[in-house]
Amino acid sequence: MNKKEVFYKLLKDNEFVFWDGAMGTMLQAKGMEMGGIPEMLNFDKPDWIEEIHYAYVNAGSQIVCANTFGCNRYKMAKTGKSVAEIISAAVGIAKKACGDKALVALDMGPIGQLLEPTGSLTFEEAYDIFKEQVVAAVQAGADIIACETMTDLYELKAAVLAAKENSDLPIITTMTFEQTNRTFTGCSVSAMALTMEGLGVDAIGVNCSLGPKELEPVVAEFSKWTTLPLAVKPNAGLPDPITNKYDLTPEDFADSMANLVKYGVKVAGGCCGTNPDFIRAVVNRLKDMKYSQQKPKLEAAVCSPAKTVIIDQPRIIGERINPTGKKRFKEALKSEDIGYILGQAIEQINAGADILDVNVGLPDIDEKEMMVKVVKALQSVTDLPLQLDSTRPDVLEAALMVYNGKPIVNSVNGEKASMEAILPLVKKYGAAVVGLALDEGGIPKTAEGRFEIAEKILANAEKVGIPKRDVFIDCLTLTASAEQAAVMETVKALHRVKTELGLKTVLGVSNISFGLPNRELVNCNFLQMALTNGLDLPIINPNAALMTGAVRAYKLLANIDENSTEFIAAYSGSNFTASVSSTGAAAAPKSDSNDLPSAIANGLKDEGARITEELLKTKDGMEIVDDLLIPALDKAGAEFESGKIFLPQLIMAASVAQAAFEVLKRHMAQSGGESVSKGKVVLATVKGDIHDIGKNIVKVLLENYGFEVIDLGKDVPPENVLEAAVKHGVKLVGLSALMTTTLGSMEETVKLLHDNNVPCKIVVGGAVLTPEYAEKIGADFYAKDAKETVDIAKKIYS
Amino acid sequence: MIELTKINRAEAFRYMGLRGEPPENISVLADECESRLVSAANPKFHWIYADIGDISEDTVTLSGHKLVLRGRDISAHLDGCFGTVLLCATLGDGVDKLLRTVQAEDMAKALTADALASAAVEQVCDIAEKEIGERFAGKFTTWRFSPGYGDFPLECQGDFLAAVNAMRIVGVCVTDGGLLTPTKSVTAVIGISEKPVPQKRRGCGTCKIREKCDFRKNGGHCYE
């Protein structure tokens, strides 16, 4: 019997399985100092550890966590012991204490540093840290892997992937939830359940956080989202800050635990403040109760940590993050202008998208690397779930790996090779998948043919273990102008897939009108036909107000949008104008003035863009930049320096110029005209520093003076700055550091650039920096603010 | 649960370098940022109490704790105190996400949101300080002294957070560079004394940027 079978037998043979209680607070009671490293006691006081394990086994615990909660290379760095040594010792002690009475779990807690994007630890590093623990646990002979006290779904995903790819041990995952049903980082119960069940863990639930009484809403929520065994390990109530004592008695604790049984609790234990008396009380209290298995009807759903989108009604997939047919987007991909791509995302979110499709396929770039970068950037600013879109399985796998939550894969099709390559990835990472109704024979002409391919894709998906609810079928839109007769075949196929196979359907809509005049009218009507016939996931441009409006109107008329709440919220008052003006060219002019300098002085962003469009009819781009934009910005800069206006106003002026530049760039990309770039500048917040608002302000100002900024982001290693400076041949590198602790890496970066004789000047800035320090570390310039950085850049590129 | 429904805008505007009434367009931005910030924030604090063990010119030990407070400034701060409260407060990771999002939207908005968030985390500390004052009614407390002030090193943040169990209880961590994450978080030491403590003003004397501070140049300071 392998370890998974042993674990499942344990679950099957017992109404409940009892876990152990706290280790840390038990050790404190024995005399460990506050803030001490519990894992070192595996060496210093092995008898303490063994006594605690033994007491839990005697109290009735059937799973015991080895004393390894913080045993990762980051937290153990200063102990002088390797992770493998500590885990081997800890598992050894636990096995000795448990004998054949209880299973031993590798206890894996959070690493102790926040992951990207808020922290500086990358997902890949986190995976590697957990992998080391898993490998050591397998060698030491652990029976289970327990990932506990997690608050970040991303970190938990790294831990689970590390556990699955490096062992065949059963995995229990529990996160720390507040009464709001969310963790500190905003991860919801539903997102955890969807993601973890998808990744194939063996039990899920909640630990730590609060007492068993306060956790009732959390446990109740779990019962709606999963069919997995539920594990619950609450604290002994809440601690007093002065005495550090918890407020529940073992009997109170056990009573509240008994109350949670009705939600399907299978594995029961305790966390901070509990001791063997608590476990004994729970064992006694539950001994005459029955496990109450929950059988929720699980809907199709996808999620990010903070947002779960249930596909129980039409949901809009935004199609704009895709270079096909978009010169400006291609340009952005080539110059790695992530800011532009994020702008596309934000526009779609504000326009009403529910899910964003992400496609960055372009022949001249490394699609895989770009996909990872864009997925990470998108999930750092939006809660919308993503649809990962590529024709290449390796790109999809890389994206699935770093996606935080449960995404959609776009797409698989009915070809044998496609199903063999894509479906196992979808299963492994627990995603939903779009199945295109085409195969080796191409796109069938008839609805019947497409329906059959849908059936085939479903059968193959189920064969690898993908639940039926996670298969969405795209019956494929053909262009009406070329294949008019095919339109109704698509609609019919969609209807049959929806009603006969019971699958969710997805459809790219805009293609229908290719080559026809008044495309939006055609798109809109086709969308209505598809929705009426059962379309769940229209892939559209949400910025097209009529299209998004058509979906909203359908939901209203189909009695999905109860009391027309969503519809009224979208279209009452000023919101309507907002959604219309976001289509850009269709916006009604707010004034007749073509006074760009005045728009800049007054911070009127939309006006700035509109006027620039107008001006381009009579002037060329460079003329607008040199005669209007730059002088207006110079005026704002001078006013800022003299204290007449303040930084926020200077930035507002700059933002108008940014909007104008965006219009100019788009125009240049289309006309292939000369670039408006005044020169390239590399900007970075140095290694170790994660505060990058200052650097971003500098970036906006530089860009609005026409400089092209290669923004390396925050926490940037010196080597990356060197590489970028050389690759782009820049004349100026700007470095920012906010804290005293990170000035050292600024110095290192400057030194590395000098040592490699890079022919560029270096400007540095940041809160704690002084001109003297800048000089000391060998920087060429110190800039006290963003404006001064622009002055320096102008001087260098003059 | 801490309710944070209104943010101290006057304080935020001061952080932004504005003097007097904010211009209308900034005020409009602040309205939007304040409401988004209030819904994104998950304000929390946690504090523990420890007896002071030994206190020398530049070292303070705490009974039963591994954490040692180092530096002449923290020693001076706790002079005459019998105990200390270690406080950690945060607005939560949702605010970091909001700050990233608004940076992708509009930098003027981002600057406004950032300043409002800085003011908000101070408000959370004020709420904590009020609770601490109530728990130590009859005793006297010092003002909040944070790692990074004067010669009280940022490098102690890791041990500080471990002592407060901050990762587990309020979700605050530290990077290798000694920076707190979520970024709108604060750690602080408050001394507890039997006798009134000389309430040294939150002075510029221990501040690292005193030589280049715009507030000081204009004859003011960054605190109220």
Side-chain angles (χ1 to χ4, degrees):
Chain A
M1 212 181 328
N2 73 20
K3 299 259 162 107
K4 263 192 204 242
E5 288 159 357
V6 174
F7 178 67
Y8 271 93
K9 186 168 185 315
L10 187 69
L11 292 179
K12 194 166 152 276
D13 292 350
N14 298 277
E15 289 296 326
F16 303 100
V17 170
F18 298 101
W19 208 341
D20 58 359
M23 173 60 77
T25 44
M26 290 285 286
L27 290 172
Q28 278 163 16
K30 280 186 178 285
M32 180 183 76
E33 68 181 348
M34 300 284 282
I37 300 176
E39 291 75 15
M40 286 315 284
L41 298 175
N42 293 318
F43 302 99
D44 301 339
K45 300 276 181 195
D47 48 324
W48 286 8
I49 310 292
E50 193 179 334
E51 277 164 34
I52 293 170
H53 288 327
Y54 194 69
Y56 279 124
V57 175
N58 270 347
S61 296
Q62 297 155 297
I63 301 173
V64 162
C65 282
N67 181 28
T68 57
F69 179 78
C71 187
N72 59 66
R73 80 169 79 116
Y74 170 70
K75 278 191 181 162
M76 297 298 111
K78 288 178 192 154
T79 63
K81 296 270 183 198
S82 73
V83 166
E85 281 175 286
I86 304 172
I87 286 178
S88 164
V91 171
I93 297 169
K95 285 175 82 101
K96 189 169 157 216
C98 293
D100 54 7
K101 288 192 182 143
L103 300 179
V104 172
L106 168 75
D107 194 18
M108 247 185 353
I111 292 167
Q113 263 203 55
L114 292 194
L115 262 66
E116 55 185 343
T118 298
S120 53
L121 190 68
T122 66
F123 178 82
E124 294 78 4
E125 283 165 336
Y127 173 93
D128 202 52
I129 287 172
F130 287 124
K131 178 181 167 181
E132 184 180 17
Q133 293 167 259
V134 170
V135 169
V138 170
Q139 264 172 4
D143 304 307
I144 296 175
I145 291 172
C147 303
E148 286 198 278
T149 326
M150 295 287 183
T151 59
D152 178 2
L153 186 64
Y154 211 26
E155 185 173 6
L156 180 56
K157 178 172 176 177
V160 169
L161 279 178
K164 287 198 83 76
E165 290 181 353
N166 299 284
S167 83
D168 63 351
L169 299 181
I171 303 169
I172 309 180
T173 60
T174 54
M175 293 183 89
T176 296
F177 288 94
E178 302 185 81
Q179 272 176 301
T180 52
N181 289 341
R182 288 186 184 270
T183 68
F184 294 144
T185 64
C187 173
S188 65
V189 168
S190 57
M192 183 207 181
L194 285 167
T195 310
M196 289 300 123
E197 193 154 348
L199 287 174
V201 304
D202 302 285
I204 62 172
V206 53
N207 79 295
C208 206
S209 351
L210 300 159
K213 197 168 161 197
E214 293 83 10
L215 283 182
E216 182 166 354
V218 176
V219 180
E221 178 76 1
F222 263 113
S223 69
K224 295 177 197 153
W225 286 98
T226 185
T227 52
L228 288 173
L230 212 49
V232 179
K233 267 183 111 173
N235 289 346
L238 302 168
D240 181 280
I242 298 179
T243 61
N244 202 26
K245 294 267 182 296
Y246 286 78
D247 64 356
L248 283 187
T249 64
E251 289 67 34
D252 293 341
F253 183 87
D255 285 344
S256 299
M257 286 297 275
N259 180 49
L260 299 178
V261 165
K262 61 175 180 278
Y263 300 112
V265 172
K266 181 80 191 183
V267 183
C271 202
C272 303
T274 61
N275 59 40
D277 294 338
F278 284 74
I279 301 302
R280 190 172 292 110
V282 172
V283 172
N284 286 333
R285 186 71 180 72
L286 265 55
K287 70 172 183 281
D288 298 323
M289 296 182 77
K290 292 269 175 230
Y291 168 51
S292 158
Q293 185 168 17
Q294 306 292 297
K295 286 177 185 151
K297 186 186 171 296
L298 299 177
E299 295 261 15
V302 292
C303 69
S304 72
K307 194 176 177 80
T308 296
V309 174
I310 307 174
I311 305 161
D312 55 352
Q313 56 182 282
R315 302 289 188 187
I316 295 171
I317 301 180
E319 68 182 6
R320 301 292 294 166
I321 303 178
N322 191 323
T324 312
K326 299 191 201 90
K327 282 192 177 140
R328 178 67 185 90
F329 199 105
K330 287 179 185 163
E331 190 85 344
L333 283 177
K334 280 183 204 157
S335 60
E336 301 189 19
D337 182 356
I338 302 287
Y340 177 81
I341 299 172
L342 293 185
Q344 295 287 306
I346 282 169
E347 210 178 19
Q348 295 182 84
I349 296 163
N350 293 340
D354 298 300
I355 296 167
L356 297 177
D357 186 87
V358 186
N359 183 317
V360 295
L362 201 62
D364 321 336
I365 64 161
D366 182 341
E367 185 184 347
K368 191 159 128 185
E369 195 183 305
M370 182 55 74
M371 184 63 139
V372 168
K373 206 177 262 184
V374 170
V375 166
K376 284 186 174 185
L378 285 169
Q379 62 195 10
S380 82
V381 301
T382 174
D383 289 333
L384 258 50
L386 302 181
Q387 171 163 288
L388 310 169
D389 182 356
S390 175
T391 50
R392 284 172 42 185
D394 64 324
V395 173
L396 287 172
E397 173 149 34
L400 281 164
M401 174 98 180
V402 301
Y403 180 74
N404 190 2
K406 177 180 175 183
I408 305 175
V409 166
N410 188 12
S411 55
V412 69
N413 64 51
E415 288 175 29
K416 192 160 175 281
S418 169
M419 291 191 292
E420 280 173 0
I422 306 291
L423 293 176
L425 292 179
V426 172
K427 166 64 186 164
K428 176 180 174 187
Y429 293 96
V433 64
V434 171
L436 305 182
L438 63 87
D439 63 10
E440 290 86 350
I443 303 174
K445 288 234 176 295
T446 62
E448 178 64 30
R450 293 186 215 175
F451 179 83
E452 279 166 10
I453 295 176
E455 274 184 313
K456 177 166 77 177
I457 293 173
L458 173 61
N460 280 280
E462 287 191 306
K463 213 187 289 170
V464 300
I466 299 168
K468 181 176 168 182
R469 62 177 179 276
D470 287 337
V471 179
F472 312 153
I473 296 294
D474 184 340
C475 291
L476 300 169
T477 301
L478 300 178
T479 304
S481 59
E483 298 188 64
Q484 205 167 352
V487 176
M488 285 315 290
E489 293 304 310
T490 301
V491 175
K492 273 188 232 157
L494 187 156
H495 185 75
R496 285 193 61 196
V497 167
K498 179 72 180 274
T499 52
E500 294 174 34
L501 291 181
L503 295 181
K504 301 296 175 190
T505 58
V506 53
L507 201 58
V509 175
S510 319
N511 202 26
I512 192 78
S513 61
F514 194 77
L516 290 172
N518 203 348
R519 290 189 61 179
E520 203 164 27
L521 182 63
V522 178
N523 291 346
C524 210
N525 277 284
F526 180 60
L527 175 59
Q528 282 299 353
M529 288 161 71
L531 287 167
T532 312
N533 280 282
L535 176 60
D536 300 290
L537 294 163
I539 304 179
I540 59 173
N541 174 4
N543 307 328
L546 272 175
M547 296 295 278
T548 308
V551 176
R552 291 193 182 116
Y554 171 80
K555 287 201 214 179
L556 184 157
L557 298 172
N559 198 23
I560 293 165
D561 178 8
E562 269 179 57
N563 302 321
S564 320
T565 316
E566 261 184 58
F567 192 86
I568 291 168
Y571 297 114
S572 66
S574 60
N575 287 339
F576 182 57
T577 4
S579 67
V580 169
S581 74
S582 68
T583 57
K590 290 195 189 93
S591 73
D592 296 331
S593 157
N594 274 350
D595 185 354
L596 192 54
S598 142
I600 291 175
N602 294 306
L604 304 171
K605 215 167 166 175
D606 292 349
E607 279 290 276
R610 182 190 65 75
I611 294 170
T612 310
E613 297 269 12
E614 281 297 311
L615 289 174
L616 273 170
K617 290 176 189 161
T618 53
K619 287 174 181 288
D620 78 33
M622 258 354 252
E623 236 179 301
I624 297 173
V625 173
D626 289 332
D627 298 349
L628 296 169
L629 277 175
I630 303 284
L633 278 168
D634 281 341
K635 184 160 166 273
E639 288 181 348
F640 169 71
E641 279 179 338
S642 66
K644 207 171 149 203
I645 64 170
F646 301 102
L647 184 58
Q649 291 151 295
L650 177 64
I651 295 174
M652 280 181 141
S655 304
V656 182
Q658 191 177 27
F661 264 108
E662 200 43 61
V663 172
L664 292 175
K665 275 190 199 162
R666 201 167 56 222
H667 181 78
M668 300 287 173
Q670 274 158 8
S671 65
E674 81 175 292
S675 155
V676 289
S677 174
K678 296 265 179 199
K680 289 181 181 175
V681 181
V682 163
L683 283 187
T685 298
V686 299
K687 175 83 190 153
D689 213 318
I690 49 169
H691 299 92
D692 65 348
I693 188 163
K695 183 260 302 166
N696 290 341
I697 289 170
V698 173
K699 178 183 173 188
V700 170
L701 279 194
L702 280 171
E703 284 182 341
N704 299 320
Y705 272 88
F707 294 100
E708 204 178 319
V709 175
I710 294 125
D711 179 9
L712 303 180
K714 59 187 181 179
D715 192 26
V716 182
E719 314 80 76
N720 295 17
V721 178
L722 173 66
E723 190 197 322
V726 173
K727 181 174 159 196
H728 297 281
V730 296
K731 287 196 208 165
L732 185 66
V733 169
L735 301 174
S736 153
L738 184 76
M739 309 294 274
T740 46
T741 43
T742 53
L743 288 179
S745 33
M746 179 177 270
E747 187 171 359
E748 266 175 58
T749 311
V750 173
K751 189 166 177 299
L752 189 71
L753 288 167
H754 284 164
D755 289 352
N756 286 276
N757 299 316
V758 182
C760 68
K761 299 284 183 195
I762 303 165
V763 54
V764 297
V768 296
L769 220 66
T770 59
E772 295 74 33
Y773 188 83
E775 198 185 324
K776 195 187 128 209
I777 64 172
D780 301 286
F781 301 97
Y782 162 78
K784 70 172 162 49
D785 54 32
K787 172 67 178 49
E788 203 169 89
T789 314
V790 171
D791 294 341
I792 292 164
K794 277 159 81 179
K795 208 175 345 167
I796 285 178
Y797 278 102
S798 66
Chain B
M1 288 269 280
I2 310 164
E3 287 283 344
L4 199 63
T5 49
K6 271 193 88 59
I7 294 170
N8 187 343
R9 289 166 70 135
E11 187 74 0
F13 290 141
R14 273 167 13 86
Y15 293 159
M16 291 160 73
L18 296 175
R19 285 189 289 278
E21 278 298 301
E24 158 124 37
N25 45 11
I26 301 289
S27 200
V28 170
L29 278 188
D31 288 339
E32 182 195 331
C33 291
E34 183 172 358
S35 88
R36 287 172 74 179
L37 193 58
V38 164
S39 58
N42 182 11
K44 292 198 169 302
F45 64 81
H46 180 62
W47 57 272
I48 59 156
Y49 168 81
D51 286 327
I52 289 179
D54 292 318
I55 183 160
S56 75
E57 204 173 296
D58 59 1
T59 310
V60 184
T61 64
L62 307 174
S63 304
H65 280 269
K66 195 183 146 214
L67 174 70
V68 177
L69 309 176
R70 294 183 199 281
R72 306 173 82 88
D73 293 317
I74 187 67
S75 277
H77 181 74
L78 293 175
D79 187 27
C81 296
F82 63 84
T84 176
V85 160
L86 306 178
L87 167 69
C88 180
T90 183
L91 295 183
D93 194 39
V95 168
D96 278 86
K97 180 156 213 168
L98 175 66
L99 294 177
R100 286 191 296 270
T101 307
V102 291
Q103 288 193 49
E105 290 174 8
D106 179 306
M107 279 312 291
K109 206 188 275 179
L111 188 74
T112 311
D114 191 76
L116 283 164
S118 296
V121 73
E122 290 300 324
Q123 284 173 261
V124 179
C125 291
D126 292 341
I127 296 169
E129 203 170 329
K130 186 160 169 280
E131 181 187 295
I132 293 162
E134 283 163 8
R135 284 297 297 267
F136 290 95
K139 313 284 187 212
F140 299 88
T141 57
T142 68
W143 56 275
R144 310 190 289 259
F145 201 93
S146 295
Y149 286 8
D151 65 352
F152 185 25
L154 273 178
E155 285 77 4
C156 78
Q157 296 281 34
D159 285 343
F160 192 114
L161 294 176
V164 184
N165 203 4
M167 159 102 212
R168 205 150 171 153
I169 298 176
V170 291
V172 174
C173 290
V174 63
T175 66
D176 286 336
L179 311 184
L180 299 178
T181 51
T183 52
K184 296 300 172 187
S185 302
V186 168
T187 51
V189 176
I190 297 170
I192 312 288
S193 167
E194 293 288 358
K195 295 178 299 229
V197 279
Q199 285 292 330
K200 281 172 236 159
R201 303 224 25 204
R202 259 187 236 205
C204 304
T206 56
C207 181
K208 290 223 163 57
I209 62 166
R210 62 193 306 269
E211 295 308 327
K212 51 177 283 197
C213 170
D214 283 333
F215 290 112
R216 275 168 55 87
K217 272 182 211 155
N218 296 314
H221 28 65
C222 67
Y223 50 86
E224 279 176 60

